[in-house]
Amino acid sequence: MADKKFYITTPIYYPSDKLHIGHTYSTVQADAISRYKRFRGYDTFFLTGTDEHGQKIEDKAKEAGVTPKEYVDKIVAGIKDLWKLMNISNDKFIRTTDEYHEKAVQLIFNKMYEKGDIYKGEYEGLYCKPCEAFWTETQAAGGICPDCGRPVITAKEEAYFFRLSKYADKLLEYYAAHPGFIEPAHRETEMVNNFIKPGLQDLCISRSTFKWGIPVPINTDHVIYVWLDALTNYITALGYGSEDDSLFKKFWPADVHLIGKDITRFHTVYWPAFLMSLDVPLPEKVYCHGWVLLEGGKMSKSKGNVVDPVQLAERYGVDALRYYLLREVAFGSDGVFSNENLINRINSDLANDLGNLVSRTVAMVCKYFDGTIPAEREAGEFDDELKALAAETKLNAEKYLDALNFSESLTSVWKFISRTNKYIDETAPWTLAKDESGKARLAQVMYNLCESIRIISVFVAPFMPETSVKIRAQLGLAPVEDWEECGVFGKEETYSVVKGDIIFPRLDPEKELEELASLNKAPSNPLKEEIEGVAKIGIDDFAKVDLRVAEVKACEPVAKAKKLLKLTLDDGTGEDRTVASGIALYYKPEELIGKKVVLVSNLKPATLCGVESKGMILAADVGEEIKVIFVDGIANGTKIR
Ligand code: MSP
């Protein structure tokens, strides 16, 4: 059926820092809904990826002494590992540095340009001359460059603009004709009142002050500035603008763009306008979820309070973390993460309610019937109530999942789990087991419990895929394939159960909180811990680094790179060797000439700001400064080991 397709996207993440539980929350939601849709028979395409261009990445790469591509490659590998760990079932991972994306973005630029929606103008902003960078008012607070601390000036540069203003009325008309396009609804009100009605400005979509971006096809002095590059990933990933656009034809328009509330404007104003310009239909829905906050507010690297999903998933299991995030953050609102909440949820919802239900039931079937429920059964009080709630829960779980309301969907499932636990107390199997006349009723009670647990294993499968598999293994069942099986009470003829490990062991809250706090607290001897934390290498690894004494023969600044010096070294071979080093803020060229330094001679050559650097020189980080290591009285070319 043509309408049984489902295309969902997450934002593409900046590979500038390590991802935290907030990012994980975004992706886990998309994963849960994708799994649910697949179970319901939808041909599903789930896209995630990374947003890799821009000045910030270029700067960080320069600082690290690597190319931007080398810099992002490493972080992107870590992001992919995180999604693997979190059991994310994306169908594609797009990188904005992928060649097909870069080509398609250039084609999109040309299309918009030919239509008259892109024009050349002047971008005016706060500019730091020595750093050659534009800053926003917030970044350059007090008129000071956040990078070098010098005053910024108001400056203009030539740039390309997208005629966003032209689309203001069309956007308003579109919102009015498509209720539910932006969810939750208050985000639409915010966009209309705060951005569109006060007057939409045209959007600057190119920069010429840095290079790390997709070149503007009609003027390669410019690169396309982030949002046109980033947002279009949602269609380029499907082959839009390439020779094979069959996925685009099949899956576009997207059914949901799932995004965090902070990027609402880009997705509900810029992106629809870009699509209108391209004559491409708009997505069905942009869903703006809330944020995972900490008790003290936002997580941030500078505050040092970033919560690491890997640490939590490795300690408590991937499913416990997935469950916590999806249950704790209410629909469209922010949620507050705390170790205490996490441990309480694991103990009460997962260990007590769900885990206990499964282990008690399996243990009773083993104890009373040697693991296999007999066919002779007798219906009784409470059975119909349990069945009715199972049916009602299916409707609620679906209603809320279809609305992307994960926490309510889970709340309704937990109501059924509690009801099933209560059914054990009500039917008192231990009393029925006392004499033979209770056996048929006991068999029915056990059967109803197993059926309920089977149904629960379907309800939880989109949220906790591994847990669902483990539960079903204890019931002797294969993993869920079809959501609809949760609508049939009485599907299995009987059950032969298999005892398994405890699915969610109970945690000792006091001990856990203490250990989590000590894992994350500032080290008492930071230097010792830092040194101990560095991965150990063997002597063979060290021997791979060829260190030599070399003398600085000449030294000069590098145009357009405020932090770099170009050094010409005598490495004893009789041939000059060029090395670029990020020490210009700490040394004047004349201070280095004639000095002997330690050269890493076998580092692969890299081009830094146009200088082909063959090797690097050793230096120490001393507080905010960098100090080069100088040596004395040793001949050039001497090996250091
Ligand atoms: N690269 C852009 C998105 C481009 S989409 C065409 C970007 N990247 S990001 O890495 O900064 O953020 C990615 C997503 O993570 C955003 O949806 C953002 O809202 C979300 N989150 C970042 N911190 C978050 C929390 N603390 N909580 C929940 N989501 C959070 O923006």
Side-chain angles (χ1 to χ4, degrees), residues 122-129 133-134 152-157:
E122 266 188 338
Y123 173 75
E124 191 177 304
L126 299 174
Y127 186 68
C128 172
K129 243 181 159 178
F134 276 96
V152 291
I153 52 167
T154 304
K156 289 180 179 175
E157 70 162 345

Side-chain angles (χ1 to χ4, degrees), residues 430-587:
W430 43 90
T431 312
L432 295 172
K434 278 190 185 141
D435 64 278
E436 205 46 40
S437 64
K439 277 274 148 126
R441 178 65 189 138
L442 181 63
Q444 184 67 46
V445 167
M446 289 302 121
Y447 176 81
N448 287 349
L449 287 173
C450 288
E451 273 294 284
S452 298
I453 293 171
R454 177 186 60 75
I455 288 169
I456 291 163
S457 78
V458 182
F459 291 150
V460 300
F463 304 92
M464 298 191 284
E466 280 175 11
T467 302
S468 169
V469 171
K470 283 186 196 161
I471 294 174
R472 293 174 72 90
Q474 299 205 23
L475 295 180
L477 299 174
V480 182
E481 279 179 9
D482 179 7
W483 177 263
E484 286 309 320
E485 73 156 79
C486 66
V488 194
F489 203 112
K491 180 175 174 287
E492 300 297 320
E493 263 177 30
T494 188
Y495 283 93
S496 285
V497 300
V498 184
K499 257 193 186 163
D501 290 339
I502 300 231
I503 302 174
F504 295 103
R506 243 194 99 76
L507 303 169
D508 172 348
E510 231 171 79
K511 183 174 151 261
E512 287 305 320
L513 288 177
E514 233 170 65
E515 287 186 11
L516 283 175
S518 78
L519 277 178
N520 296 317
K521 82 163 188 272
S524 53
N525 183 342
L527 181 58
K528 185 169 173 243
E529 296 202 13
E530 185 187 327
I531 294 174
E532 280 172 357
V534 179
K536 301 284 175 279
I537 58 169
I539 189 79
D540 295 348
D541 294 318
F542 178 68
K544 286 183 194 152
V545 185
D546 190 57
L547 301 173
R548 303 276 167 174
V549 174
E551 188 172 330
V552 184
K553 284 174 68 182
C555 180
E556 57 188 89
V558 177
K560 290 205 163 188
K562 64 181 190 328
K563 293 181 185 162
L564 279 189
L565 284 182
K566 178 180 162 189
L567 309 172
T568 308
L569 302 180
D570 172 356
D571 61 4
T573 60
E575 280 173 31
D576 285 352
R577 178 192 279 262
T578 305
V579 166
S581 180
I583 51 175
L585 298 179
Y586 313 99
Y587 291 92

Side-chain angles (χ1 to χ4, degrees), residues 176-222:
H178 297 84
F181 169 60
I182 305 175
E183 277 198 354
H186 67 267
R187 298 274 168 221
E188 178 181 323
T189 318
E190 193 181 297
M191 290 301 120
V192 171
N193 294 343
N194 299 356
F195 295 109
I196 306 183
K197 287 201 171 150
L200 274 184
Q201 305 284 314
D202 287 347
L203 183 71
C204 180
I205 50 160
S206 83
R207 285 285 194 276
S208 55
T209 47
F210 61 87
K211 285 270 159 262
W212 181 236
I214 302 173
V216 166
I218 52 168
N219 181 349
T220 50
D221 287 342
H222 290 251

Side-chain angles (χ1 to χ4, degrees), residues 284-297:
E284 296 292 331
K285 186 183 295 302
V286 179
Y287 175 73
C288 318
H289 64 73
W291 269 38
V292 179
L293 301 173
L294 298 181
E295 268 145 358

Side-chain angles (χ1 to χ4, degrees), residues 381-398:
E381 206 188 349
F382 310 113
D383 294 4
D384 288 344
E385 211 185 300
L386 189 69
K387 286 181 199 168
L389 191 63
E392 189 188 319
T393 307
K394 177 176 188 278
L395 297 180
N396 283 331
E398 287 170 1

